[in-house]
Amino acid sequence: MGISQYDPAAKGRPAWNAGQQVGAKRALKPRQIWAIRFFLDREGRMRDRALFDLAIDSKLRGCDLVKIKIGTLVAGREIRARSMVVQQKTGKPVQFEIASDARASLLSWLERRGGTVDDFAFPSRVDANGHLSTRQYARLVDEWVSAIGLRREEYGTHSLRRTKASIIYKATGNLRAVQILLGHTKIENTVRYLGVDVDDALELAEATEV
């Protein structure tokens, strides 16, 4: 609902989103991923490094990421190469890979964290039985991107969700694969999420010989 220009009470009132970055958040580039990893390692932030790596690989929404339990990530004494969660938004399962860097950082963190397979991988500092909140996760992302010189207004938790999906799409042009990885029910959602436009389509066509 907008503000009428004829409403005297609204005169001079700023828009609700004045000064805020509107639209999709940017995905990270590979060099930015490694810059954040370097920062977290240098600062000895083992939990944050594991959280960041898992966010990139899993491509999960923040609400699903923070609720991951240890049992979802481990098989015996090792970190799984693949795992699956049921998405809160859609109620449907989505699978994801856990690459070697993420497995290493997760193993280091979970060995320090302790706990059982029924405990949250990233616990709350306020509630011993709870999980890291989505708000705190968003604050951490702001801190990480700011630490490497990026504008926090242009990045957010969805940046981490989009990052690997965007890299896969640019490398392969396979929208269907990205749709599956993101857990989207419609490919149109994936197109909008990645910001695929006419130029992308033409570049793919030009690179294809028949």
Side-chain angles (χ1 to χ4, degrees), residues 146-199:
S146 297
I148 63 168
L150 300 177
R151 295 184 60 202
R152 64 176 63 190
E153 297 84 2
E154 297 179 352
Y155 297 85
T157 58
H158 269 284
S159 296
L160 275 59
R161 172 164 158 77
R162 293 181 64 204
T163 291
K164 196 165 185 179
S166 297
I167 293 172
I168 293 169
Y169 170 69
K170 288 178 181 178
T172 66
N174 192 330
L175 272 174
R176 173 58 179 159
V178 175
Q179 176 194 2
I180 293 170
L181 293 171
L182 289 173
H184 285 162
T185 55
K186 297 180 180 179
I187 201 163
E188 291 86 352
N189 296 337
T190 307
V191 170
R192 286 194 298 271
Y193 198 77
L194 294 179
V196 178
D197 56 22
V198 174
D199 288 339

Side-chain angles (χ1 to χ4, degrees), residues 1-209:
M1 184 174 179
I3 299 174
S4 170
Q5 61 178 316
Y6 303 110
D7 180 0
K11 188 175 181 180
R13 185 187 302 168
W16 67 270
N17 57 357
Q20 297 184 28
Q21 183 78 14
V22 179
K25 300 294 186 179
R26 293 187 177 186
L28 294 172
K29 298 177 181 178
R31 59 183 174 80
Q32 294 166 339
I33 295 172
W34 284 104
I36 290 175
R37 284 173 172 163
F38 178 80
F39 162 72
L40 296 175
D41 287 345
R42 185 189 66 198
E43 298 296 313
R45 295 169 65 166
M46 190 178 292
R47 181 205 64 175
D48 289 9
R49 171 63 195 270
L51 179 62
F52 175 73
D53 285 345
L54 184 60
I56 294 292
D57 274 359
S58 70
K59 302 165 286 292
L60 291 173
R61 297 177 181 87
C63 59
D64 294 321
L65 180 70
V66 297
K67 294 177 182 175
I68 282 185
K69 294 192 173 183
I70 294 175
T72 304
L73 301 173
V74 303
R77 292 182 171 274
E78 297 183 352
I79 303 296
R80 300 175 187 270
R82 292 183 180 179
S83 191
M84 180 179 69
V85 300
V86 175
Q87 301 172 98
Q88 177 178 302
K89 183 175 182 178
T90 66
K92 295 183 178 180
V94 63
Q95 296 188 64
F96 58 89
E97 77 287 357
I98 306 176
S100 57
D101 283 312
R103 291 200 300 272
S105 61
L106 281 166
L107 184 60
S108 296
W109 161 243
L110 292 178
E111 285 179 343
R112 172 186 287 186
R113 186 242 183 281
T116 71
V117 293
D118 294 319
D119 291 328
F120 293 110
F122 304 102
S124 166
R125 291 182 177 177
V126 179
D127 178 4
N129 297 317
H131 57 77
L132 180 76
S133 70
T134 52
R135 183 176 297 236
Q136 181 60 19
Y137 172 47
R139 291 194 190 105
L140 289 171
V141 174
D142 283 348
E143 186 179 349
W144 300 340
V145 298
S146 297
I148 63 168
L150 300 177
R151 295 184 60 202
R152 64 176 63 190
E153 297 84 2
E154 297 179 352
Y155 297 85
T157 58
H158 269 284
S159 296
L160 275 59
R161 172 164 158 77
R162 293 181 64 204
T163 291
K164 196 165 185 179
S166 297
I167 293 172
I168 293 169
Y169 170 69
K170 288 178 181 178
T172 66
N174 192 330
L175 272 174
R176 173 58 179 159
V178 175
Q179 176 194 2
I180 293 170
L181 293 171
L182 289 173
H184 285 162
T185 55
K186 297 180 180 179
I187 201 163
E188 291 86 352
N189 296 337
T190 307
V191 170
R192 286 194 298 271
Y193 198 77
L194 294 179
V196 178
D197 56 22
V198 174
D199 288 339
D200 292 325
L202 288 174
E203 286 178 8
L204 288 170
E206 289 167 352
T208 304
E209 297 287 345

